[in-house]
Amino acid sequence: MTRTLEKSNRHFDNAVRRLPLGVSSNFRYWGDERTVYVKRGHGARVWDLDDNAYIDYRLGYGPVILGHCHAQVDAAAREGQAIGTVFALGTERELAVAELIHDMVPAAELVRFSNSGTEAVMAALRLARAATGKDNYVIFEGSYHGLFDATMWWADVANLKDPDQEPEIVSLGKGIPDLIRQLFWQVPYNDVDRLESLFRRHADRIAAVLIEPILGNCCGIPSHPDFIRAVRELCDRHGVLMIVDEVKTGFRVATGGAQELYGVAADICTMAKAMGNGYPIAAVAGREEFMRLFGKGVAHGGTYTAQSMSLAAAEKTLQILRDGTVLAGIAEYGRKMQAGMSRILEASGVAHSFTGHPSMAGLFFRETAPTNYRDWRLSDYTFYDALARNLIDRGVMCEPDSREPWFISAAHDRACLDETLTAFADALDATLRARARPHGQAAE
Ligand code: PMP
């Protein structure tokens, strides 16, 4: 292994003097000596400051669905730039993009733009509260809905000693008011009975269920089709709105997102990442009767909403994705990659499974795939951690955290696949060898 991070390390030493952790998101800090700084990306590949090349399976946590520096999307963004940036007034293109979204996601009867997934989910929750006159909400264990106080709560599954014990719900860091705990419940994913029993007791206080149809921040664990349909049915029966958070799944797992895959329509849905191929744009959308509340007592706006470059980039990205061909190719790559990895793992007798959609899948070291976050801890995730480290050292930029799926773009081609599988075999070998060594075992 010849990868060095000399320049990245030097940059880190400088950056940390002005930027907390030397980066602009806590999640980008991988340790003083392992934090990577990117020089550039192109297609499915990124290069760091030391000119190490990587095949990118993180894609900025999903957005870059067509590949980095996509010529058509970037040209469209430049066309948007020529119009101007923001005006605190509308532009014609907003309607064009809203029509595209509605075409692809029928539940998006009306659309409002936001800049990020977090903002869109905040707006969705506010809308649901306004529409129902209720304040409380339900989220599922292992889900992630953005960095705002209402959703920064996590079931502390990793520290569970006994599988029947209920996990403690902890805030994602300090600075989040404890009194927010009174406003939400967390329910295990894919557990209809728990949701139903909660609704029976508290539906009169619950404005919304906030659901990721595939847990995009927890191994890509998918909803069981019966589960997500039951959530829809329970929401209808109890006067609770169903907010489907498609920030990661939208325009990725199908042109109509997970709602199309499952045949479920949200009351309100949120979309972001794949919609703009990396340009900052998101949408909150949904049923007309709720969406019309924006402007009728419910606030929504923001200086940068529907910013011209992002909007033009979204228009082009959605036009490219609309007929489904590109997404079919992405899923096909994912299936081939999984088949190739399985062959390599089986040859070494390593039990494993995959979850999620082939375009955003999780890899587990356990025979059966998890169906909720509690199951994740039953997998050998320390093995994943070690393997991921070895993969990154060999130019396969996968997520170091086993809970984040691998994302695939339209730019991942045959050469990427072959290189990935060669590196995978080599990384697996190195991981197994390290495990076999006594000090490797001691580290487990
Ligand atoms: N919802 C989901 C399902 C997400 O995956 C994310 C981001 N990973 C968000 C909301 C927040 O989006 P953003 O990072 O754009 O604020």
Side-chain angles (χ1 to χ4, degrees), residues 3 30 36 48 157 188 271 296:
R3 185 174 85 126
W30 290 2
V36 174
D48 67 16
V157 157
M271 290 153 285
K296 286 195 189 136

Side-chain angles (χ1 to χ4, degrees), residues 128-162:
R129 284 168 159 162
T132 57
K134 301 186 269 186
D135 284 342
N136 293 36
Y137 52 98
V138 178
I139 42 186
F140 293 98
E141 289 173 10
S143 55
Y144 178 82
H145 298 286
L147 286 176
F148 69 113
D149 291 354
T151 57
M152 289 173 72
W153 298 89
W154 197 248
D156 189 12
V157 157
N159 291 317
L160 272 184
K161 298 277 173 292
D162 158 9

Side-chain angles (χ1 to χ4, degrees), residues 116-118 121 144-146 212 217 245 247-248 273:
S116 66
T118 298
V121 178
Y144 178 82
H145 298 286
E212 272 187 281
N217 302 271
D245 183 352
V247 163
K248 272 193 172 160
K273 313 219 173 197

Side-chain angles (χ1 to χ4, degrees), residues 333-343 352 354-355 357-358 361:
Y333 183 104
R335 277 188 287 271
K336 283 190 184 139
M337 187 171 77
Q338 289 185 13
M341 288 176 173
S342 278
R343 273 194 301 275
H352 66 282
F354 294 97
T355 46
H357 187 268

Side-chain angles (χ1 to χ4, degrees), residues 286-346:
R287 278 170 54 185
E288 176 161 7
E289 65 182 288
F290 306 126
M291 291 295 294
R292 292 269 178 227
L293 295 174
F294 285 134
K296 286 195 189 136
V298 183
H300 176 266
T303 305
Y304 299 105
T305 52
Q307 196 270 1
S308 185
M309 287 176 82
S310 293
L311 196 63
E315 184 180 33
K316 182 54 74 183
T317 305
L318 294 178
Q319 282 168 349
I320 293 170
L321 296 176
R322 179 163 45 170
D323 78 359
T325 319
V326 169
L327 293 185
I330 291 173
E332 182 56 22
Y333 183 104
R335 277 188 287 271
K336 283 190 184 139
M337 187 171 77
Q338 289 185 13
M341 288 176 173
S342 278
R343 273 194 301 275
I344 293 164
L345 289 163
E346 276 158 20

